[in-house]
Amino acid sequence: MKGSEIRQKFLDYFEERGHKVVHSSPLLPANDPTLLFVNAGMNQFKDVFLGNDKRDYTRAASSQKCIRAGGKHNDLDEVGKTARHHTFFEMLGNFSFGDYFKEEAIDFAWDFLVNELGLEESRLWFTVFEGDEEVPADEEAERLWIKAGAKPERVLRFGKKDNFWQMGDTGPCGPCSEIHYFMGDDPDDPEKNRADLVNAEYGDENIEIWNLVFMQFDRSEDGKGGFTLTELPAPSVDTGMGLERISAVMQGVSSNYETDLIRPIIDRVATLAEKGDRSDVRVGSVPDLSDIYDTFDDRKKFACRVIADHARATAFAVADGILPGNQGRNNVLRKIMRRAIYHGRDHLGFDGPFFNDVCHFVVGEMRDAFPELEAQRGFIRRMVLLEEERFRNTLTEGSKRYSEKLGKADGNTYDPSSEDLFIEAAKLFDTFGYPRDLIRVRLEEQGIEFSEDEFDERFDNALNDLQASSAIGKTQQAEKINPIYAEILEKTGPNEFLGYETTNAEGSKVTALVKDDKLVDELNEGDEGLIVLDRTPFYAEAGGQVGDRGSLYASGVQISVRDTFAPIKGVILHKSSVARGTVRVGDELAASVFEDKRDATRRNHTATHLAHAALKEVLGSHVKQAGSVVAPNYLRFDFTHYQPMTETEIREIEDLVNKYILENEPVNTDLMPIEEAMRSGAVAMFGEKYGSEVRVLSVGDGKFSKELCGGTHVSATGDIGSFKITADEAIASGVRRIRAITGFDAFRRFREDELLIDRSLGVLKTQRDQLPNAIEKLYEDLKKARKEVEDLKLKIASGSMGGSANGDEARDVKGVKVLAKTVEDLDPSGMRHLSDTLMAKVKSGVVIIGRKADGKVSFIVRVSDDLTDRVKAGNIIREIAPIVGGKGGGKPDMAEGGGPEAEKLSEAIDASYHVIEKMLSE
């Protein structure tokens, strides 16, 4: 269902139920100095809720345009980074001004989501206010959700942070009820679709989609420094549901940016970015190709998302008369616009104006729902183009200076705690007019992050100092190269690599020796150091391929090479240990690479190229290399992709690679100018620097795989033997990693798997095709047996306490029953069950259980509800846990803790009686 259809369906639904459909108010708040922008559906009805305005209707529904940037509600820094943060969004809402209240609001919400939109009940969660000392729990809302059709276990209680709304310190307020939706693949998955993930601070699969606010009370000052609540004579309802979020739900996408509300704008940006001649940006002059964005790397995709979001905010704000400026909301809009322009210029390569085209495109996308956009189309474009030209002039010189002064800044070149960085930033702003908010954005991209408040304070201080004095020292940073390596290169020239043709060399001359970071004339037996040869077959680590290992030798000299690397081009260093004899500068040595390891590395390197090509073929052209390791015993390949591979995709990739292996395609290497190589379709590899002439590796005719590569490879694909993926995992957002093995390692893996299967068949006494069922049955039996064992342990623990199970052994401490015991053979879950049992028997009192396991102590403390005002479990645990060298804490009625000094468990248990006695005496 399209976003426009959801919007209309919502409005039609409530109009049919007696609601007045009210058009969105402008983003410029009317007579409300507390707001920079309209940021919620209820803003235009604020005076109605306060009783200061009367309308000719008591029920309303709207789709309100909102901006949250600047002020209390500021999502600007999160835009593009998460799936659901925006500066601009639409808020669907239904409102009751003293008309209906909780029952109708809940019935409407349930009916619309479940019956009109067809959402699965098993994916929905409902939250209500749990109550506190000021306001009782919202049991009415809880009951009404269950009455509407929700299962009781899917109605959850939360505190004021999540489920209580107030307009300010005084005025209308009341509990609210949120509706959350599980976005995961399988609603029957108990590990993901579970209660404790609702309102959790982590994870993105359980999202809030609708909030029902029940304006039930009026909070007023009581004249004694506090507040008092009174029931409103005509309680009201204010609800809000983000159109972008519910569209993501209905369209089955994980991100709001993938909905049809925003993705077309993203595609427009991507298309413009790919157009060679950007001088002509007339609407309709560039075809919108939806697959371009998918080929972008994460940095470009992020920029497209930011620009699309900011274009929506800009078009709507300008249409409503908010223009870029230097103060208040006008300055916030300027920040939004310039942030988008900056991302387009620096991340997508735009040379000229482009943002006005994107805003123009937004008008075309949204004009049906918001005709004010079409009415202001020409004005919007002119204003945005004017701001682009202004900012372009500012950025041109400012960006150049930023790159020179701060472009390489990180935690090493600038200590974020020092003021040097802010001095340079202030100079950029003061001298070249480079925007301060973009300085902060660029520093964040370089890994130097500050909160907005900290950045503004330190920036202002530096700016004041700069303007007060013209004598500010300059900080210069220079890239450092170990002078020893540069000295070696200057004295000996580049060494010759022989490893493409051979793994052995005779008469290689020692041109330099390094020990403890110093040039030396000799290395003696037992010494470790670096050896430089004029000619070597050893491959230095590069392009993901590990450095060779092997030996250097001569008469009376034996040297083990443990690694090979090249810190600068032309200097291959052999990390070595002298096993026998002495080696001197000028000596000649024979060099021999461990051939079996080199051969295995060759197999894995060529297999990496085939895997890269296969990933593109199976997953799509968006796949790009993001790193690799090619070792003798495995290969690792990092690539851009947005989701785990399916079993089918993994099989297809393996089949494709093994197909080329079995066809024994020749592996050809050609030397050519880099321009020619790129024109031929060769793929440049991640993290590599190339000279004017490059090696191009082609498999067969190069149609399947052709890459720039300086590594060592097999002569034909059949030499690889076989290829097997062993792992697929995520390592970063949008980046995945596969591990694979080839040749003998793949065969050994196959043989080991066969042995494991044969042994399993023997132990389980089953047939091969029944093995999964047999394992599943064994697992279920084991789970059942474990539960029985735990139940038995609990019974034994309860029984071993004799009368304590009935509370008879509890001590009387100032009139309070206190039962403190130690147990064995119970896991943490068992301890909790035991504490429940004993607490039920004691009824009123305190239960303390200590357990010794693996040389450590753990405690659980329970206090009956009637005593928590006098004795708090958390305070008890904080007193006894330090006795065993640990700590703990918890709630007044239950707390847990522990420590490493198991021998003091009895002492801690005994001390608990005195701790409680002291508390009762206070």
Side-chain angles (χ1 to χ4, degrees):
M1 187 180 293
K2 293 181 179 180
S4 58
E5 293 172 339
I6 297 171
R7 181 197 298 117
Q8 193 59 51
K9 192 176 189 68
F10 180 91
L11 297 175
D12 290 345
Y13 176 87
F14 283 99
E15 186 175 39
E16 292 167 1
R17 287 154 180 80
H19 292 67
K20 171 73 173 179
V21 175
V22 181
H23 188 71
S24 170
S25 70
L27 286 165
L28 185 65
N31 302 318
D32 191 345
T34 65
L35 288 177
L36 285 173
F37 304 97
V38 166
N39 59 22
M42 63 81 60
N43 289 162
Q44 69 168 313
F45 303 116
K46 181 177 178 180
D47 285 340
V48 181
F49 285 122
L50 291 173
N52 299 327
D53 185 18
K54 296 291 182 182
R55 304 282 177 98
D56 59 356
Y57 49 83
T58 57
R59 298 182 175 196
S62 70
S63 180
Q64 174 66 48
K65 48 194 178 186
C66 303
I67 288 181
R68 289 188 178 176
K72 178 181 176 182
H73 299 287
N74 184 9
D75 291 339
L76 182 59
D77 286 342
E78 299 304 313
V79 170
K81 297 178 183 177
T82 72
R84 313 192 206 291
H85 281 94
H86 307 285
T87 53
F88 175 88
F89 63 98
E90 287 184 62
M91 183 77 81
L92 302 175
N94 60 290
F95 309 91
S96 164
F97 312 118
D99 189 317
Y100 60 82
F101 197 44
K102 293 181 183 180
E103 183 167 8
E104 292 90 339
I106 288 173
D107 284 342
F108 287 152
W110 175 273
D111 185 47
F112 183 75
L113 293 176
V114 175
N115 298 322
E116 296 293 323
L117 296 186
L119 299 189
E120 296 175 64
E121 297 175 24
S122 61
R123 290 181 179 271
L124 294 170
W125 295 90
F126 310 87
T127 69
V128 299
F129 181 53
E130 68 181 4
D132 62 10
E133 64 277 3
E134 184 183 32
V135 183
D138 196 355
E139 295 179 354
E140 182 185 7
E142 186 176 46
R143 175 180 57 79
L144 290 170
W145 278 120
I146 296 170
K147 179 183 176 183
K151 293 182 178 179
E153 64 269 19
R154 302 193 74 81
V155 183
L156 311 175
R157 293 188 178 191
F158 288 91
K160 275 189 173 178
K161 175 178 177 291
D162 297 301
N163 281 88
F164 197 88
W165 178 90
Q166 59 191 58
M167 190 175 292
D169 290 337
T170 60
C173 62
C176 61
S177 184
E178 295 177 344
I179 304 169
H180 294 248
Y181 184 85
F182 174 65
M183 297 280 286
D185 294 330
D186 183 7
D188 296 322
D189 184 351
E191 291 300 314
K192 294 183 177 180
N193 188 11
R194 63 180 203 256
D196 63 307
L197 293 180
V198 176
N199 278 329
E201 294 182 359
Y202 51 89
D204 207 27
E205 290 189 319
N206 284 284
I207 65 166
E208 176 196 343
I209 57 172
W210 204 346
N211 188 15
L212 315 182
V213 176
F214 307 121
M215 297 185 190
Q216 188 171 353
F217 306 102
D218 179 45
R219 177 186 271 127
S220 58
E221 296 180 356
D222 60 6
K224 302 176 183 178
F227 300 93
T228 184
L229 286 182
T230 56
E231 291 270 354
L232 288 170
S236 300
V237 174
D238 156 31
T239 84
M241 175 164 58
L243 177 60
E244 291 78 8
R245 290 195 179 194
I246 192 64
S247 296
V249 168
M250 294 301 295
Q251 293 169 21
V253 294
S254 60
S255 168
N256 294 357
Y257 290 93
E258 292 299 315
T259 66
D260 71 323
L261 295 168
I262 306 177
R263 179 58 191 257
I265 308 169
I266 290 175
D267 289 334
R268 178 66 174 178
V269 176
T271 304
L272 287 171
E274 287 296 286
K275 184 172 181 285
D277 175 16
R278 299 189 183 92
S279 61
D280 180 6
V281 290
R282 289 179 294 105
V283 171
S285 66
V286 182
D288 289 291
L289 306 174
S290 61
D291 61 343
I292 292 178
Y293 170 78
D294 294 326
T295 68
F296 283 178
D297 59 27
D298 287 348
R299 190 167 180 260
K300 285 187 174 182
K301 286 181 176 178
F302 171 67
C304 289
R305 293 193 295 269
V306 169
I307 293 167
D309 172 90
H310 290 6
R312 297 202 327 151
T314 298
F316 278 90
V318 173
D320 283 345
I322 303 171
L323 304 179
N326 294 324
Q327 294 182 338
R329 64 176 62 90
N330 307 93
N331 186 49
V332 173
L333 176 59
R334 171 162 282 170
K335 282 185 178 183
I336 291 171
M337 296 174 71
R338 292 190 168 188
R339 191 167 183 261
I341 299 165
Y342 158 74
H343 279 288
R345 179 187 175 98
D346 276 37
H347 296 174
L348 297 177
F350 286 109
D351 294 323
F354 73 96
F355 191 52
N356 66 94
D357 177 277
V358 184
C359 293
H360 203 77
F361 185 81
V362 169
V363 172
E365 290 289 296
M366 307 290 288
R367 62 185 176 183
D368 290 339
F370 301 97
E372 60 267 29
L373 288 172
E374 183 61 33
Q376 298 294 328
R377 182 190 283 272
F379 179 68
I380 293 169
R381 188 161 198 181
R382 285 194 301 272
M383 291 306 302
V384 176
L385 181 59
L386 179 62
E387 186 65 14
E388 282 193 279
E389 294 292 354
R390 286 176 184 154
F391 192 44
R392 183 184 181 189
N393 295 333
T394 298
L395 273 183
T396 300
E397 186 61 24
S399 290
K400 178 182 176 182
R401 294 289 178 170
Y402 182 97
S403 297
E404 292 174 359
K405 298 297 182 182
L406 296 176
K408 294 183 179 180
D410 57 27
N412 297 318
T413 56
Y414 282 99
D415 180 357
S417 65
S418 77
E419 298 306 317
D420 291 345
L421 183 146
F422 283 93
I423 290 171
E424 293 294 343
K427 284 195 288 185
L428 279 168
F429 174 79
D430 192 54
T431 306
F432 302 102
Y434 200 63
R436 58 194 292 166
D437 52 303
L438 288 192
I439 294 173
R440 178 172 168 241
V441 168
R442 291 189 67 171
L443 287 174
E444 182 178 304
E445 291 172 352
Q446 294 163 216
I448 303 178
E449 298 187 16
F450 302 93
S451 70
E452 185 173 3
D453 290 342
E454 180 189 3
F455 181 88
D456 287 343
E457 180 182 355
R458 295 176 66 181
F459 186 96
D460 289 338
N461 291 338
L463 183 61
N464 291 335
D465 292 341
L466 175 66
Q467 293 172 342
S469 172
S470 61
I472 296 180
K474 296 181 179 180
T475 302
Q476 296 180 341
Q477 301 296 329
E479 184 179 354
K480 294 182 179 180
I481 297 176
N482 191 317
I484 293 177
Y485 305 142
E487 185 179 345
I488 292 171
L489 182 61
E490 185 178 348
K491 286 183 177 180
T492 67
N495 34 24
E496 181 184 359
F497 177 58
L498 309 174
Y500 293 128
E501 295 81 26
T502 182
T503 55
N504 296 280
E506 298 289 338
S508 293
K509 184 179 179 180
V510 178
T511 58
L513 297 169
V514 179
K515 180 182 179 183
D516 298 330
D517 289 330
K518 296 178 181 178
L519 287 170
V520 296
D521 294 327
E522 63 181 28
L523 293 175
N524 297 309
E525 187 172 317
D527 285 347
E528 295 187 351
L530 305 175
I531 298 175
V532 183
L533 304 174
D534 63 343
R535 308 159 58 248
T536 179
F538 282 79
Y539 180 84
E541 180 180 354
Q545 181 175 328
V546 299
D548 279 333
R549 302 175 66 183
S551 61
L552 305 174
Y553 55 93
S555 178
V557 178
Q558 185 68 40
I559 301 168
S560 174
V561 179
R562 294 181 285 111
D563 195 9
T564 312
F565 65 102
I568 59 176
K569 186 178 180 181
V571 178
I572 297 176
L573 299 174
H574 306 77
K575 188 174 183 180
S576 307
S577 58
V578 182
R580 180 161 55 90
T582 297
V583 61
R584 298 177 177 85
V585 175
D587 287 352
E588 289 191 355
L589 299 173
S592 179
V593 175
F594 289 153
E595 195 162 354
D596 58 339
K597 293 189 179 298
R598 167 68 79 80
D599 287 344
T601 303
R602 276 196 258 250
R603 289 192 291 268
N604 285 333
H605 203 157
T606 306
T608 300
H609 286 225
L610 292 176
H612 187 188
L615 285 163
K616 286 178 175 289
E617 182 82 13
V618 174
L619 302 180
S621 59
H622 65 276
V623 170
K624 300 285 187 298
Q625 180 179 346
S628 68
V629 171
V630 179
N633 56 335
Y634 76 102
L635 68 89
R636 191 184 78 197
F637 189 77
D638 303 339
F639 60 98
T640 55
H641 190 49
Y642 45 84
Q643 63 186 16
M645 290 190 291
T646 65
E647 290 183 9
T648 300
E649 288 169 338
I650 291 174
R651 281 198 302 270
E652 288 180 9
I653 292 163
E654 289 177 337
D655 288 348
L656 195 53
V657 173
N658 283 302
K659 169 181 176 290
Y660 276 90
I661 291 173
L662 290 173
E663 290 176 353
N664 199 28
E665 294 278 2
V667 178
N668 304 308
T669 302
D670 299 296
L671 291 175
M672 63 180 70
I674 188 167
E675 296 84 3
E676 182 183 341
M678 300 308 292
R679 282 196 302 269
S680 74
V683 177
M685 303 308 292
F686 172 83
E688 286 296 289
K689 294 180 180 179
Y690 300 102
S692 58
E693 189 174 68
V694 294
R695 293 173 62 86
V696 179
L697 189 93
S698 303
V699 175
D701 59 9
K703 291 181 179 179
F704 182 66
S705 174
K706 179 187 285 188
E707 300 185 0
L708 306 187
C709 185
T712 60
H713 290 268
V714 298
S715 58
T717 57
D719 297 344
I720 299 171
S722 58
F723 172 85
K724 173 64 181 172
I725 294 174
T726 59
D728 167 38
E729 59 188 345
I731 60 169
S733 176
V735 180
R736 300 201 64 79
R737 169 176 292 168
I738 60 169
R739 299 174 188 269
I741 49 179
T742 65
F744 291 111
D745 291 301
F747 174 74
R748 279 192 288 269
R749 173 67 174 259
F750 168 76
R751 185 166 56 194
E752 289 169 2
D753 288 349
E754 286 297 302
L755 287 172
L756 287 172
I757 291 172
D758 288 342
R759 289 176 184 172
S760 300
L761 292 174
V763 171
L764 296 174
K765 302 189 184 309
T766 188
Q767 299 298 313
R768 193 180 187 92
D769 60 344
Q770 292 299 312
L771 182 58
N773 294 333
I775 293 174
E776 185 176 353
K777 183 178 183 303
L778 179 64
Y779 176 69
E780 293 299 326
D781 290 345
L782 181 60
K783 279 204 308 184
K784 181 179 178 182
R786 283 177 175 168
K787 186 177 186 306
E788 292 173 351
V789 169
E790 290 303 319
D791 291 344
L792 183 59
K793 285 181 180 179
L794 183 59
K795 289 179 181 177
I796 293 172
S798 300
S800 68
M801 294 185 178
S804 66
N806 298 313
D808 297 340
E809 287 192 1
R811 291 191 193 179
D812 185 290
V813 178
K814 289 190 173 292
V816 172
K817 290 182 182 179
V818 179
L819 178 59
K821 291 292 182 180
T822 61
V823 297
E824 297 179 359
D825 298 326
L826 277 184
D827 61 11
S829 176
M831 282 183 66
R832 294 187 192 100
H833 285 306
L834 180 59
S835 73
D836 289 339
T837 300
L838 297 179
M839 199 71 247
K841 298 294 184 181
V842 171
K843 295 182 180 177
S844 176
V846 180
V847 172
I848 303 167
I849 303 172
R851 177 181 72 108
K852 216 185 282 188
D854 300 324
K856 297 180 181 179
V857 172
S858 59
F859 296 109
I860 185 167
V861 178
R862 300 288 299 275
V863 177
S864 58
D865 292 340
D866 63 315
L867 296 173
T868 53
D869 58 335
R870 301 171 63 196
V871 180
K872 292 181 170 34
N875 293 342
I876 297 172
I877 208 81
R878 279 188 281 271
E879 292 288 336
I880 64 174
I883 297 174
V884 295
K887 57 185 179 180
K891 298 178 179 179
D893 63 333
M894 186 175 78
E896 295 181 274
E901 300 174 22
E903 68 278 4
K904 295 184 179 180
L905 172 58
S906 296
E907 179 184 343
I909 290 293
D910 291 340
S912 64
Y913 295 105
H914 302 292
V915 168
I916 295 169
E917 183 177 8
K918 182 180 176 182
M919 291 179 178
L920 292 170
S921 300
E922 293 177 349

